[in-house]
Each structure stands twice: as structure tokens, then as C-alpha cells.
């Protein structure tokens, strides 16, 4: 055995250096074979990281790659998510948007988890990650979207779904040293500029990206809850900077993001009179991960993560000279918020595969989130000298501690079958302890046909707003965790590496869904629901190498104990994309998206919201040899009028979405 | 839904004439790592040297030259242009313009229209060299080896296309490949 090892080491060394002196026939067969098998294992590791072999893993996943996104003229993360089957976008106060998975509770922001390079970034106050949705695809290598409560990260869990964004400079598989600059202009005074670079210094890869973008969209909206109809401002200024340093074992980095947006539809169902109103969110992420082999076939992972957020709001909620509850506001009323939170996460994970056919993962994780500051104030009515001050809007949300123990065992007795059982046990400082078990099986009928079965119980913690805002302590238990029992089946037909057909069926049993109570306007546990659905996805080669991608999803959700459908969720969605290559330089990309009708809340007397179809078209000229590309994108080519739903008894009409939009983008690369 | 169907039909009509495969970068990289090592398991590799060099031909359509150059560069980077003592040369070959007299030690095929695939496979047959194909369904058309990333890395071997007279795999090779029926 020792002889073989020495031979293999020698062979590997020879294969990876230029000073070769031996011929293939001089090596023993065992050495050559072992060298090939080692390489196959290395490739397997990379395939797991890049999600290349995801069709054989027990999850329902869509992976969106940088190249395909840019070919389709997609500009940012929010637009990219619309390509995923069963994913819709909803909108809340101040125009804050968030994805909704599989027709689930469209009022809840934390249905999905966002990870940036594996770091969970949802905040505690809203369970949201709005400030990252404008992240440009120029800095994104791939987006891994898991539908359902399974998560690709053993130490994390999801509820409706999870999104992991891998940036190009932090991708552990990216060893292509390059520097890129990119810029774009578009309608609504859209301007974008950014750059990224990956360098190598000894064993270390050093990557950085930076971007700035702004736009000035506005549209006429209303009437709002106070009867005003007027221009709503969606101006947006977003910039970010990140640095990532890694070698084979270490990964250290940080990301700063700033998002400053206009008043949009307003904070309190009131369209603002003041164009200078802003929602200003600044976040910092710092992390370090260390992975090492501590024994034969045993790997240790240690991670420490820090995420903070500073949120400031200025919103004019009452117009000049108007009255409320007998008080007159000659100069209107402004609402201000100054909020800070901080989250520290650490975990240790062991992975062992020393038993034949068995892979074991076990870990512990601690999270501490603290409310650092939540001050709010409102300007005073006429005759009062002092404004109204709130030292704390969330007086009982001082901190939340979560201690987790998790484990997973995967038994794969052959190349065609595997069974996995996992669990996560959480101790939560302001909720009951939670156990989230998961079982799954994958079976390959042959090289073309794969079957998967998955059963998961998971939950979602209420955001601090849902749990504590405007509530006296004794009522806090009215909002508990939202729970889900999920059963999923997936059939995959793979003809070759490009042609794939996927069919998924799912049954979701959601309990304790939180929503704003129609009368009290407080966040309350309102209903349980059941969602049955199916998803169909295919990538087809038409002709010699023509590729077409199509998906259709159906989600039939009803409120338990009634015949009411889940409000504001489209039952049907479909997307067609095509990348048409005229030659090796010119590419056109087409995206056609359909969203079905959305029913209203049972107490809402308005007509159901009609479905819509949009067509986006782009053309790209990419000169690979000279290292530049220019692309022109037209979004909503047919200028379709479509709307996102406004909650009952707030705005009379729904929220108008952007019409036709034209963008021009340029990228220059240096390798 | 009606509007969607109209647009769908229209776009299908437009795209029914379209071409252009998108190749998976990480799969190309995996192929680049494994192909030369598989070639070393051919005991008659020495007989396939071209002027003392191992020469891999990447056969593709002209519009796929970028992807062909990408895998060629991956192989050069990984193997530093040498396979053991043998200098390693990787060249792009436009399948449409393939000259039967061009020499090669092995051929890697990207996605090709049927007639061009047949032309390249006839060439491979004549030369008696190993053929690797990007897509598994290339084996149905007569290529010898394709590699897929499944639960494990799987090397598919099409025994019916194997010319044992010119390609002499070491016996252990058959223990790690999966027969493609």
C-alpha cells in the first residue's frame, strides 16, 4: 500500500509539473488508476460545490448561472429570481419587495432565506433581505435556489425556500484571475458602474467587487388610505463593496451594502408629499471560515459570522394642513425611525465518511441577535412643542439567542440509491424549542431516470415586527412560529448534460400563518393552510444545438376549514427562455413570463387581480478575444400593464409595475 | 394565459431555426482534468503520438470555438502542456472542415449536428483513437467515452464502439468505468 501511495504521489507530482522524465508505460497500472480515481473524487467535490450534480441530490433546486443570466439580459438578483418555477415577487410598505415561494403566505417576508456566499443575511426586525435584491448579476457567479424547506447547507434550515448567491470573486471554484469593469445606463435615469478583480498572491486568492447604481423611477398612484392620489417616488441609490481572501483552508471576507430608496407607496398606507423621504439601510457582513482534515476521512469546519444593519426612515405620513384624531398638522406629520441590530453566528461542524457507504455530518451552532437601537419619533401636531418620541418600538425585543444541534446521515449502498436522515434541534430564547427532522431518498432507475422523495418538518421564526410591534407583553404569544410539513416527490429525466426534464409534486401543510389582522392591524396568527402543487421544468435541444428552457408551476393553496384560496398568490406561473446564438459573438436572449390571476382576501370586495404576460428581449455582442461585451435589453417589450396587489383596506388600487424599459450594458475584461 | 400562449407559439416559430449550445464551464473543467488521465490507461498511447506529442483534437462547430478554446486552455493549464514526458498539444478543429488526413492522438467532441458528428466519428474510426464526447447521447451515435457528474463521477464506456485492436486499455480501466448500453 505504501509503495502504491509513493507511486501515486510521484505520478501526481509528475502530472502537475513540467519536468517529466518518465513514460506512461513506466508506471504501474495501480498507480495510474489510483491517480485517476483520486482525480474523480476531486471532481466530485467540485461538482458538489458548483451544484453540477444537483439532480442526484435530495433537493428541488434551480441553479442560475452568470453567463445565462447575462445572455438573457437579466440585470439583478430580483429579476433572476423570477425565472425560478413557483417564485413570485410581492411588495410591502415603502416599496419593499420580497420573493414568495409556491403560493405561500404572500404577506410574510421571511418565507425564504437569503445567503450570500453561505452567510444568512435575513434581518430580525422584518425577516427580510430587500437591500440585496438589486445586487447586479455582473458580480454573481451563480444563484442556487432550493424550493421547499430543505437547505443545501446542513447548519441552516429554510421554510418556503432558500437562495444562496455565490459571488464571482468569492466562488471557491473560481481560479480564473481576471479584472472586469461594467457599466450600464437605462430609462428612469438608471446609471450603473462597477468592477471586480481576482488576484493571486502565493497560496491566497484575493477577490474584490464594488458597484454603484441609481435610478429615479416614479409613477402616479392612489388613492391611498387617506384618499390621496399623487406621484410615488421609487428613486434608488444602491452601492456595495466586498473583499474576500481565501486559500485552500481559510476564507475571510466582508461585504458592505447601502440601499437608499424613495418613499414609494409610503409607510402607513399614505403616499408621501415629500420626495426627499427615504428608507436608508446599511449593512455590514464579516466572516471567516476554516476547513481542515483532522483525521482520515474526517473534516472539520469552523465558521464565525457577523452581520449588522442600520435602518433609517423618514416618511411624511400626513399631508400639510390635514387633521388626525382632532389634531391638525399644518406642516404635515413626519415619521422617523433609527434602528440598529447585530447578529453573531458561530458553528463547528464535523463530516466523516470513514464508514463504508455512510456519510455523517454533525454540528453545533450559536446565534445571538441583539436589538442595538430602535428609536422612533413623529412630528407634533399644531400647538405642541415637542415631537412624540419612542425610545423603543420593540421594547421586548432586546435579543434572541438560538443554540442548535444538527446532524445528518446519508447511506448510499450503491451508486444508484441513497437515503438520508437529518435533524436540527433549536433552543430559542423567546420561543419553545423546535425539532426539524428531514428524511429523503434518491434512486437512479438508470443513467437517464432519477426519482427523489423528501419529507421535511421546518419552521419560521416570526420577525421582531410580527412578534413585538405594538403589542403588550401578554399578547406576544399570539404570534408563534409558522410551521410547515412538506412532502415532495421529484422525477428527473436526463437525456444528456443539457437536456433535462423535471417533474415535481409537493404537498405543504402550513400552520400558524401570520398576517396583519384585518380589523386590529396587528400581526396575528390567522390561519393554517394546505398547498398542493406541481412543477414542470425542461431544457430542450431543438435541432442540432438549439436550446429552449420552459417551466410551469401550479400551486393550489386553501385556508384550512374553509374554501378560501390563499390570497394574493398566483396559482399558475410559466416561464420560457431562449438563448439564440447567431455566431460566436452575437447572442439574443428571450424571456416570456406568465403569472396567473390572484384572488383577494375573503373580506376584500375588489375584483380578483388579473394575470399578465411579459416579454423581455436582449441582444449581446461578446468579443471573447478582445475581452468586451455590449448588450441591449428591453424589458416588458409589449408594455404590458400589470400590478402587484395592495392589501385590503389600504390602497384602493393595486401597485403599478414598470412598463417598457430599455438598458444598455458594457463590460470589459482583462485576464 | 391566452397572451402567453400566443407569445409562446410565436417564439417557438422564431427559435425553431436557432442554434448555439451553452456548455457548462465546470463540466468542461472536469472533463479537462480526467481525459488526459484516461488516455494514459491506453497501453498503445505511444503508437498514437504525433511527432512525439500527444495531440488532442477538439471537434466542434465554428460557433462553439469559444467553448472549444476554453476546454483546450483548461487542459493546458492543468497539465502545463505536458502529459508525463509527452508534450501535450490541444487544437480546435471546425468539424465541418475536418480533413481526414489531420493527425490526432484522441478527439473530444462538443455538441454537433448529426451529419457532422458522423463525419468526425468516421474520422476517429479511421484513425483508431479514443473519442470523448461532451454529451452522453453522443455514445448512441458511436463515440467511445463520456463523463457525467452523477452521485459520483461516472465514466461511461461504449463497448460497441471500442476498437480493441488500436486501443489497448489496461485491465483495471474496466473496473472503474460503467458500460453504456
Amino acid at each position: 500500500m505504501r509503495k502504491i501511495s509513493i507511486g501515486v504521489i510521484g505520478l501526481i507530482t509528475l502530472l502537475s509539473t513540467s519536468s517529466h522524465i518518465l513514460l506512461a508505460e513506466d508506471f504501474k497500472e495501480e498507480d495510474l488508476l489510483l491517480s485517476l480515481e483520486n482525480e474523480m473524487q476531486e471532481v466530485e467535490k467540485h461538482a458538489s460545490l458548483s451544484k453540477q450534480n444537483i439532480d442526484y441530490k435530495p433537493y428541488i433546486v434551480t441553479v442560475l448561472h452568470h453567463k445565462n443570466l447575462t445572455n438573457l439580459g437579466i440585470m439583478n438578483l430580483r429579476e433572476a429570481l423570477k425565472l425560478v418555477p413557483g417564485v413570485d415577487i410581492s411588495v410591502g410598505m415603502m416599496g419593499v419587495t420580497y420573493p414568495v415561494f409556491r403560493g405561500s403566505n404572500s404577506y410574510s417576508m421571511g418565507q425564504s432565506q437569503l445567503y450570500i456566499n453561505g452567510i444568512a443575511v435575513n434581518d430580525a426586525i422584518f425577516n427580510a433581505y430587500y437591500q440585496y435584491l438589486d445586487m447586479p448579476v455582473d458580480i454573481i457567479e451563480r444563484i442556487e435556489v432550493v424550493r421547499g424547506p430543505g437547505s443545501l447547507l446542513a447548519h441552516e434550515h429554510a421554510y418556503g425556500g432558500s437562495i444562496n448567491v455565490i459571488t464571482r470573486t468569492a466562488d471557491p471554484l473560481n481560479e480564473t484571475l481576471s479584472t472586469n469593469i461594467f457599466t450600464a445606463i437605462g430609462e428612469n435615469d438608471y446609471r450603473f458602474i462597477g468592477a471586480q478583480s481576482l488576484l493571486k498572491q502565493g497560496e491566497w486568492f484575493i477577490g474584490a467587487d464594488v458597484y454603484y447604481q441609481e435610478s429615479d423611477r416614479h409613477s402616479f398612484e392612489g388613492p391611498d388610505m387617506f384618499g390621496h392620489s399623487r406621484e410615488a417616488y421609487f428613486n434608488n441609490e444602491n452601492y456595495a463593496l466586498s473583499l474576500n481572501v481565501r486559500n485552500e483552508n481559510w476564507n475571510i471576507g466582508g461585504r458592505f451594502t447601502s440601499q437608499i430608496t424613495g418613499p414609494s407607496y409610503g409607510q402607513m398606507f399614505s403616499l408621501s408629499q415629500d420626495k426627499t423621504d427615504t428608507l436608508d439601510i446599511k449593512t455590514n457582513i464579516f466572516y471567516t471560515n476554516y476547513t481542515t482534515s483532522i483525521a482520515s476521512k474526517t473534516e472539520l469546519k469552523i465558521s464565525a459570522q457577523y452581520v449588522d444593519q442600520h435602518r433609517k426612515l423618514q416618511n411624511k405620513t400626513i399631508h400639510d394642513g390635514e387633521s388626525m384624531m382632532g389634531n391638525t398638522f399644518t406642516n404635515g406629520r413626519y415619521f422617523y425611525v433609527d434602528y440598529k441590530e447585530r447578529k453573531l453566528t458561530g458553528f463547528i461542524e464535523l463530516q466523516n465518511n470513514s464508514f463504508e457507504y455512510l456519510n455523517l455530518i454533525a454540528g453545533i451552532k450559536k446565534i445571538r441577535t441583539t436589538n442595538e437601537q430602535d428609536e422612533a419619533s413623529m412630528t407634533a401636531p399644531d400647538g405642541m412643542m415637542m415631537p412624540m418620541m419612542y425610545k423603543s418600538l420593540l421594547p421586548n425585543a432586546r435579543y434572541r439567542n438560538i443554540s442548535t444541534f444538527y446532524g445528518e446521515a446519508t447511506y448510499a449502498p450503491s451508486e444508484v440509491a441513497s437515503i438520508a436522515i437529518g435533524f436540527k434541534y433549536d433552543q430559542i430564547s423567546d420561543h419553545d424549542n423546535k425539532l426539524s427532522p428531514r428524511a429523503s431518498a434518491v434512486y437512479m432507475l438508470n443513467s437517464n431516470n432519477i426519482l427523489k422523495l423528501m419529507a421535511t418538518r421546518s419552521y419560521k421564526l416570526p420577525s421582531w415586527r410580527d412578534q413585538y410591534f405594538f403589542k403588550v407583553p401578554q399578547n406576544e404569544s399570539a404570534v408563534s412560529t409558522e410551521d410547515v410539513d412538506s412532502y415532495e416527490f421529484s422525477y428527473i429525466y436526463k437525456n444528456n448534460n443539457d437536456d433535462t426534464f423535471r417533474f415535481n409534486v409537493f404537498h405543504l401543510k402550513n400552520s400558524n400563518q401570520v398576517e396583519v389582522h384585518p380589523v386590529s392591524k396587528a400581526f396575528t396568527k390567522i390561519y393554517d393552510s394546505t398547498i398542493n402543487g406541481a412543477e414542470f421544468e425542461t431544457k430542450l435541444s431543438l435541432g442540432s444545438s438549439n436550446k429552449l428552457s420552459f417551466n410551469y408551476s401550479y400551486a393550489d393553496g386553501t385556508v384550512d376549514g374553509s374554501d378560501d384560496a390563499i390570497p394574493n398568490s398566483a396559482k399558475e406561473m410559466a416561464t420560457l427562455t431562449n438563448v439564440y446564438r447567431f455566431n460566436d459573438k452575437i447572442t439574443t436572449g428571450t424571456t416570456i413570463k406568465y403569472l396567473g390571476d390572484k384572488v383577494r382576501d375573503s373580506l376584500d370586495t375588489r375584483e380578483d387581480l388579473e394575470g399578465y404576460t411579459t416579454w423581455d428581449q436582449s441582444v449581446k455582442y461578446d468579443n471573447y478575444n478582445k475581452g468586451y461585451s455590449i448588450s441591449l435589453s428591453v424589458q416588458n417589450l409589449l408594455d404590458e400593464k400589470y400590478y402587484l396587489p395592495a392589501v385590503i383596506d389600504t390602497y384602493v388600487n393595486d401597485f403599478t409595475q414598470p412598463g417598457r424599459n430599455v438598458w444598455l450594458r458594457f463590460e470589459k475584461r482583462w485576464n | 394565459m391566452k397572451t402567453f400562449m400566443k407569445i409562446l407559439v410565436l417564439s417557438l416559430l422564431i427559435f425553431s431555426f436557432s442554434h448555439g449550445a451553452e456548455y457548462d464551464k465546470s463540466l468542461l473543467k472536469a472533463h479537462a482534468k480526467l481525459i488526459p488521465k484516461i488516455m494514459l490507461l491506453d497501453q498503445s498511447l505511444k503508437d498514437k503520438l504525433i511527432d512525439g506529442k500527444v495531440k488532442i483534437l477538439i471537434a466542434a462547430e465554428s460557433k462553439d470555438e469559444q467553448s472549444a478554446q476554453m476546454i483546450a486552455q483548461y487542459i493546458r493549464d492543468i497539465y502545463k502542456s505536458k502529459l508525463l514526458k509527452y508534450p501535450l498539444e490541444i487544437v480546435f478543429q471546425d468539424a465541418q472542415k475536418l480533413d481526414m488526413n489531420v493527425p490526432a492522438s484522441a478527439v473530444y467532441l462538443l455538441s454537433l449536428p448529426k451529419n457532422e458528428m458522423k463525419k468526425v466519428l468516421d474520422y476517429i474510426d479511421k484513425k483508431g483513437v479514443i473519442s470523448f464526447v461532451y454529451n452522453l447521447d453522443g455514445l448512441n451515435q458511436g463515440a467511445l467515452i463520456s463523463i457525467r457528474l452523477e452521485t459520483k463521477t461516472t465514466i461511461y464506456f461504449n463497448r460497441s464502439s471500442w476498437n480493441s485492436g488500436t486501443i489497448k486499455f489496461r485491465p483495471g480501466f474496466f473496473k472503474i468505468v460503467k458500460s453504456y448500453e
Side-chain angles (χ1 to χ4, degrees):
Chain A
M1 184 65 194
R2 198 175 164 211
K3 249 181 160 180
I4 292 173
S5 301
I6 292 167
V8 171
I9 292 164
L11 182 62
I12 291 168
T13 311
L14 283 167
L15 284 168
S16 58
T17 61
S18 55
S19 56
H20 311 308
I21 47 162
L22 296 172
L23 301 176
E25 48 273 30
D26 297 325
F27 280 95
K28 285 183 183 168
E29 179 179 330
E30 301 94 299
D31 297 346
L32 291 165
L33 281 172
L34 209 54
S35 166
L36 176 60
E37 282 173 325
N38 284 340
E39 198 65 78
M40 286 165 76
Q41 278 174 18
E42 197 58 31
V43 164
E44 258 160 58
K45 268 191 195 171
H46 283 202
S48 291
L49 283 170
S50 66
K51 309 297 176 288
Q52 174 64 39
N53 58 1
I54 202 67
D55 283 331
Y56 306 88
K57 303 285 180 191
Y59 306 98
I60 294 174
V61 188
T62 299
V63 183
L64 304 166
H65 293 274
H66 170 81
K67 191 171 181 187
N68 207 34
L69 293 172
T70 53
N71 281 341
L72 289 170
I74 301 289
M75 296 293 283
N76 56 41
L77 176 59
R78 184 186 292 103
E79 287 172 29
L81 292 174
K82 292 183 191 173
L83 300 176
V84 179
V87 176
D88 188 14
I89 297 287
S90 193
V91 64
M93 294 291 89
M94 293 295 283
V96 168
T97 50
Y98 49 94
V100 177
F101 279 64
R102 290 174 162 175
S104 228
N105 185 355
S106 67
Y107 297 112
S108 178
M109 292 194 200
Q111 293 268 315
S112 54
Q113 275 279 350
L114 177 68
Y115 306 96
I116 296 180
N117 298 315
I119 314 296
V121 296
N122 291 46
D123 59 30
I125 184 167
F126 294 112
N127 234 333
Y129 47 79
Y130 158 70
Q131 64 272 30
Y132 299 102
L133 290 175
D134 283 311
M135 182 184 272
V137 296
D138 305 79
I139 64 159
I140 296 173
E141 180 59 33
R142 64 182 177 277
I143 306 166
E144 304 159 359
V145 186
V146 179
R147 298 184 310 277
S151 167
L152 294 172
L153 302 161
H155 57 277
E156 295 288 350
H157 71 276
Y159 182 77
S162 64
I163 303 154
N164 191 12
V165 176
I166 312 296
T167 59
R168 297 174 78 184
T169 53
D171 179 8
L173 299 175
N174 187 5
E175 295 184 352
T176 309
L177 308 181
S178 68
T179 298
N180 308 39
I181 57 161
F182 21 81
T183 183
I185 52 166
E187 286 190 34
N188 302 311
D189 290 327
Y190 177 73
R191 294 183 198 92
F192 164 64
I193 189 160
Q196 65 176 15
S197 189
L198 184 66
L199 310 167
K200 195 172 184 194
Q201 188 67 46
E203 295 292 299
W204 294 84
F205 285 95
I206 302 155
D209 61 57
V210 60
Y211 67 84
Y212 174 87
Q213 56 187 337
E214 61 177 28
S215 63
D216 201 10
R217 186 171 76 84
H218 52 92
S219 68
F220 195 80
E221 301 288 337
D224 62 17
M225 207 156 84
F226 304 93
H228 306 122
S229 292
R230 56 171 298 113
E231 209 69 23
Y233 299 98
F234 305 90
N235 44 298
N236 182 8
E237 185 186 32
N238 170 225
Y239 51 95
L241 168 70
S242 92
L243 180 70
N244 183 274
V245 181
R246 65 182 157 94
N247 68 9
E248 209 182 322
N249 302 102
W250 279 101
N251 179 18
I252 305 160
R255 172 171 293 278
F256 164 76
T257 304
S258 169
Q259 174 94 345
I260 303 168
T261 47
S264 180
Y265 311 108
Q267 173 68 22
M268 294 179 182
F269 315 116
S270 167
L271 291 162
S272 175
Q273 261 187 326
D274 191 342
K275 195 187 169 184
T276 67
D277 280 1
T278 52
L279 172 62
D280 176 353
I281 307 173
K282 294 197 167 34
T283 53
N284 289 295
I285 303 172
F286 299 103
Y287 55 87
T288 179
N289 304 307
Y290 178 69
T291 307
T292 186
S293 182
I294 54 168
S296 167
K297 299 186 176 180
T298 303
E299 202 167 74
L300 172 73
K301 260 188 211 170
I302 302 174
S303 178
Q305 303 162 7
Y306 168 93
V307 181
D308 72 26
Q309 181 187 118
H310 187 184
R311 174 183 288 256
K312 286 172 91 169
L313 170 76
Q314 174 202 301
N315 186 221
K316 190 171 187 176
T317 55
I318 295 178
H319 289 197
D320 294 345
E322 291 192 341
S323 300
M324 180 180 256
M325 299 169 81
N327 293 312
T328 303
F329 297 84
T330 305
N331 298 314
R333 164 175 269 186
Y334 280 89
F335 178 54
Y336 301 98
V337 172
D338 194 346
Y339 170 82
K340 286 179 188 171
E341 69 169 52
R342 183 180 293 168
K343 181 168 76 168
L344 287 165
T345 305
F347 73 86
I348 298 175
E349 181 178 297
L350 280 170
Q351 186 165 175
N352 178 284
N353 53 10
S354 51
F355 299 100
E356 201 173 6
Y357 311 131
L358 195 60
N359 184 58
L360 298 168
I361 295 175
I364 50 171
K365 186 172 77 161
K366 297 278 271 185
I367 304 174
R368 179 174 170 83
T369 311
T370 47
N371 174 354
E372 300 290 317
Q373 174 181 319
D374 63 320
E375 293 176 359
S377 60
M378 281 194 271
T379 46
D382 295 356
M384 278 180 71
M385 298 301 288
M386 296 294 288
M388 295 165 72
M389 299 289 290
Y390 299 91
K391 274 288 174 209
S392 177
L393 281 172
L394 309 164
N396 298 302
R398 303 315 323 161
Y399 67 90
R400 179 177 276 168
N401 290 340
I402 306 174
S403 302
T404 302
F405 175 55
Y406 61 92
E408 188 180 84
T410 305
Y411 177 65
S414 74
E415 282 181 10
V416 299
S418 69
I419 297 168
I421 294 172
F423 74 95
K424 218 164 79 64
Y425 182 75
D426 298 316
Q427 280 187 319
I428 310 149
S429 59
D430 54 353
H431 282 276
D432 293 339
N433 299 343
K434 299 296 288 188
L435 177 68
S436 307
R438 177 174 163 84
S440 60
V442 179
Y443 183 69
M444 272 177 75
L445 293 169
N446 52 42
S447 57
N448 297 121
N449 295 281
I450 306 156
L451 300 175
K452 303 183 194 181
L453 266 176
M454 293 144 280
T456 316
R457 168 169 287 185
S458 191
Y459 72 95
K460 175 177 96 63
L461 279 169
S463 69
W464 280 350
R465 177 196 63 171
D466 294 2
Q467 189 168 345
Y468 296 109
F469 189 55
F470 281 155
K471 289 199 179 102
V472 288
Q474 59 266 33
N475 284 345
E476 280 162 14
S477 59
V479 175
S480 59
T481 56
E482 291 181 53
D483 300 310
V484 61
D485 286 311
S486 152
Y487 303 92
E488 299 168 287
F489 165 78
S490 180
Y491 164 70
I492 297 171
Y493 174 78
K494 273 176 94 78
N495 184 34
N496 55 43
N497 296 318
D498 301 318
D499 290 3
T500 315
F501 167 96
R502 298 185 184 97
F503 179 69
N504 314 313
V505 182
F506 60 86
H507 169 81
L508 305 174
K509 183 85 192 75
N510 295 302
S511 314
N512 308 324
Q513 300 294 281
V514 175
E515 198 176 285
V516 177
H517 192 278
V519 179
S520 71
K521 302 293 178 201
F523 291 91
T524 317
K525 151 173 99 175
I526 289 207
Y527 60 84
D528 295 345
S529 67
T530 303
I531 305 174
N532 294 310
E535 292 150 350
F536 163 82
E537 292 175 80
T538 187
K539 284 189 208 166
L540 282 178
S541 296
L542 299 176
S544 63
S545 56
N546 175 33
K547 291 188 71 173
L548 193 73
S549 160
F550 174 75
N551 69 59
Y552 169 82
S553 64
Y554 178 83
D556 183 15
T558 50
V559 175
D560 289 358
S562 78
D563 294 329
D564 296 342
I566 296 178
N568 295 338
S569 293
K571 257 188 192 179
E572 289 182 284
M573 288 184 234
T575 306
L576 172 97
T577 66
N578 190 278
V579 173
Y580 179 107
R581 287 176 58 201
F582 287 93
N583 51 44
D584 67 338
K585 291 190 175 66
I586 299 174
T587 311
T588 63
T590 302
T591 305
I592 301 163
K593 175 100 186 160
Y594 166 76
L595 247 108
D597 297 351
K598 292 175 181 172
V599 300
R600 304 284 186 183
D601 191 288
S602 58
L603 300 172
D604 197 332
T605 54
R606 291 175 296 176
E607 288 285 308
D608 286 350
L609 187 59
E610 209 177 316
Y612 60 88
T613 301
T614 54
W615 182 344
D616 304 338
Q617 190 65 50
S618 73
V619 58
K620 179 173 158 191
Y621 176 86
D622 189 348
N623 192 321
Y624 182 75
N625 295 327
K626 292 190 175 167
Y628 72 89
S629 70
I630 302 169
S631 52
L632 179 72
S633 311
V634 185
Q635 282 208 324
N636 195 358
L637 186 70
L638 304 179
D639 205 19
E640 172 89 357
K641 299 274 176 274
Y642 69 101
Y643 306 89
L644 291 180
V647 178
I648 178 173
D649 292 340
T650 55
Y651 300 83
V652 175
N653 299 316
D654 297 298
F655 303 130
T656 317
Q657 295 307 295
R660 190 184 298 119
N661 237 323
V662 182
W663 284 323
L664 185 67
R665 175 159 63 187
F666 173 79
E667 182 189 12
K668 173 74 186 148
R669 310 177 283 269
W670 293 272
N671 289 321
Chain B
M1 195 71 181
K2 269 185 192 165
T3 319
F4 180 76
M5 291 312 292
K6 277 183 207 161
I7 297 174
L8 183 69
V9 170
L10 176 66
S11 57
L12 281 173
L13 284 172
I14 296 167
F15 300 133
S16 57
F17 302 104
S18 65
H19 290 274
E22 284 297 322
Y23 295 94
D24 188 301
K25 223 164 59 174
S26 51
L27 185 63
L28 288 177
K29 210 174 258 185
H31 286 182
K33 283 180 179 171
L34 298 173
I35 285 168
K37 290 204 174 184
I38 294 171
M39 290 174 67
L40 286 176
L41 291 168
D42 176 7
Q43 295 177 85
S44 55
L45 177 64
K46 207 164 73 174
D47 304 334
K48 297 181 182 72
L49 299 179
I50 313 296
D51 301 327
K53 291 188 257 184
V54 173
K55 182 178 176 183
I56 303 174
L57 216 64
I58 314 281
E61 288 186 279
S62 59
K63 61 178 173 289
D64 288 336
E65 183 176 349
Q66 212 182 92
S67 301
Q69 297 292 6
M70 198 181 279
I71 186 169
Q73 194 55 45
Y74 287 150
I75 300 174
R76 284 183 209 115
D77 289 348
I78 295 163
Y79 289 91
K80 316 281 186 217
S81 296
K82 278 206 169 184
L83 190 59
L84 299 183
K85 188 189 176 182
Y86 316 119
L88 188 57
E89 188 184 4
I90 305 111
V91 289
F92 162 70
Q93 174 64 56
D94 182 345
Q96 212 173 16
K97 297 177 187 163
L98 177 64
D99 177 351
M100 285 293 175
N101 297 317
V102 170
S105 312
V107 180
Y108 179 80
L109 298 99
L110 289 175
S111 297
L112 288 170
K114 265 186 185 164
N115 55 337
E116 286 179 25
M117 175 72 98
K118 188 178 175 315
K119 188 177 165 188
V120 179
L121 288 170
D122 286 347
Y123 161 86
I124 290 163
D125 197 37
K126 188 181 153 198
K127 298 285 172 194
V129 296
I130 304 176
S131 57
F132 298 92
V133 63
Y134 175 79
N135 267 326
L136 192 67
D137 65 354
L139 299 185
N140 292 328
Q141 293 168 65
L144 187 65
I145 291 172
S146 187
I147 302 161
R148 226 159 68 161
L149 309 179
E150 301 178 347
T151 45
K152 294 193 179 301
T153 310
T154 309
I155 301 171
Y156 281 98
F157 179 68
N158 184 6
R159 198 172 280 269
S160 62
S161 298
W162 178 35
N163 181 346
S164 56
T166 58
I167 304 165
K168 293 175 180 145
F169 284 118
R170 293 175 186 251
F173 171 75
F174 299 99
K175 289 180 193 160
I176 58 168
V177 298
K178 196 168 175 177
S179 268
Y180 185 79
E181 309 296 336

